[in-house]
Amino acid sequence: MANHDRVNERYYGQINSEDSHEATRTRVHWMCRETTGKRILDVGCSQGITSILLGREGFRVTGVDLEEESIRYAQEELAKESKPVRNHVDFRMLDITQWKARTTFDTVLLGEVLEHFAHPETLLLQVHRLLGEEGTLIVTVPYGYHPFYDHKQTFYASNLAMCLIPYFEVLKLEVHHKYLCCVARKRQKIQLDVKPPLNQVLDWMKLDHTHFEKVEQQHLRSMKQRKKALDSAVDQLKRLRRQENEEG
């Protein structure tokens, strides 16, 4: 079953809520800001918004996705751009894990991709091969539990970092609108037995603690609001029943 990710439509506020629109814009703009070099590979590019935005800034971008419908949409959106942008962006439908390209890239983007892999090392090995020396990897994933039929991973700061560190040095981990956002640098050699320093682990724990304290506070406020609404509804029902009895 296809995922039918509609990132362009969320980015422009054409579907979903205002919160979803703002979260998408924040995440996409963050990825664009963290991009380095000139040659960019956008893996799981979906409808193409990130690739197109980078193309407008002069980056040379290859956007790839498994879904034919998404690539068709991205190509139609690209056709509306100026000729310089069209010349800077190339959309392709392909399986990145099977791509035999010898080209290397300065930055690889994985925007909401890793959570779809039961074995993310398959993808990370390929990304490591496709990145140039000290190339940049930019990853965003849903932060914490996010119910979706094709999500095979639930990521928090520590397990995302531990997933990446054999192949990449984690430089930055942040949370934006319920997305865990990471910037990492390619290791010259893969180190399957590498262990993070204690201070880094403590930083990841602090990030999780800070974020989930806010989540719990928000949940508590929501539960209080629901209880208040329920109590009000119960009181109203009691009044109506008393009124019916009095009139009867």
Side-chain angles (χ1 to χ4, degrees):
M1 184 183 295
N3 291 324
H4 300 301
D5 181 29
R6 300 167 66 183
V7 65
N8 284 44
E9 295 163 271
R10 292 200 311 275
Y11 177 88
Y12 288 114
Q14 297 168 346
I15 60 171
N16 301 126
S17 65
E18 181 65 26
D19 286 346
S20 175
H21 166 56
E22 182 60 29
T24 300
R25 288 176 60 84
T26 298
R27 176 184 61 82
V28 167
H29 293 167
W30 181 88
M31 295 178 74
C32 291
R33 287 195 303 272
E34 297 295 337
T35 298
T36 62
K38 294 300 293 183
R39 293 186 56 82
I40 315 302
L41 176 62
D42 186 4
V43 177
C45 65
S46 183
Q47 296 177 323
I49 184 61
T50 308
S51 297
I52 289 172
L53 292 177
L54 290 171
R56 290 175 184 172
E57 296 188 29
F59 293 91
R60 297 197 172 276
V61 189
T62 301
V64 302
D65 202 285
L66 283 171
E67 295 188 15
E68 182 177 3
E69 182 180 340
S70 293
I71 290 297
R72 186 186 306 115
Y73 191 106
Q75 290 171 337
E76 290 173 356
E77 290 295 289
L78 181 60
K80 302 173 186 177
E81 299 289 324
S82 65
K83 185 175 181 180
V85 177
R86 296 198 304 271
N87 290 340
H88 281 138
V89 182
D90 177 29
F91 289 117
R92 306 182 188 186
M93 186 181 71
L94 57 83
D95 180 352
I96 189 64
T97 64
Q98 303 300 315
W99 198 25
K100 305 301 182 183
R102 295 183 179 180
T103 304
T104 58
F105 298 87
D106 302 311
T107 295
V108 173
L109 308 177
L110 297 178
E112 279 89 271
V113 175
L114 273 183
E115 67 271 20
H116 297 282
F117 280 75
H119 301 279
E121 64 274 8
T122 304
L123 174 61
L124 295 175
L125 276 168
Q126 177 72 323
V127 171
H128 188 274
R129 184 185 72 81
L130 290 168
L131 268 175
E133 185 176 351
E134 296 191 346
T136 299
L137 172 67
I138 299 174
V139 177
T140 64
V141 293
Y143 190 26
Y145 178 66
H146 184 84
F148 184 75
Y149 70 89
D150 193 45
H151 284 187
K152 303 175 182 69
Q153 302 275 346
T154 296
F155 282 110
Y156 302 95
S158 57
N159 68 322
L160 174 61
M162 293 302 293
C163 176
L164 297 175
I165 63 173
Y167 316 94
F168 308 94
E169 178 188 356
V170 174
L171 304 178
K172 181 185 298 187
L173 268 175
E174 301 175 353
V175 176
H176 298 287
H177 290 273
K178 299 182 181 179
Y179 290 100
L180 188 57
C181 303
C182 178
V183 179
R185 180 169 53 217
K186 176 182 176 178
R187 293 189 186 276
Q188 294 309 301
K189 294 183 179 180
I190 294 173
Q191 302 177 35
L192 296 179
D193 59 347
V194 66
K195 298 292 189 296
L198 178 59
N199 65 321
Q200 200 167 34
V201 174
L202 292 174
D203 285 343
W204 300 336
M205 292 174 63
K206 181 178 179 181
L207 187 152
D208 282 335
H209 174 272
T210 300
H211 178 73
F212 278 95
E213 183 178 37
K214 293 178 181 178
V215 169
E216 289 183 321
Q217 290 170 349
Q218 183 178 1
H219 176 70
L220 183 60
R221 287 194 297 269
S222 177
M223 292 300 293
K224 286 181 177 179
Q225 290 170 357
R226 292 180 182 181
K227 185 178 184 303
K228 184 178 180 181
L230 178 60
D231 290 344
S232 176
V234 170
D235 289 342
Q236 184 177 5
L237 181 59
K238 288 179 179 178
R239 287 194 300 271
L240 289 172
R241 285 178 175 173
R242 284 198 300 269
Q243 182 178 350
E244 288 177 355
N245 291 334
E246 291 169 358
E247 292 176 352

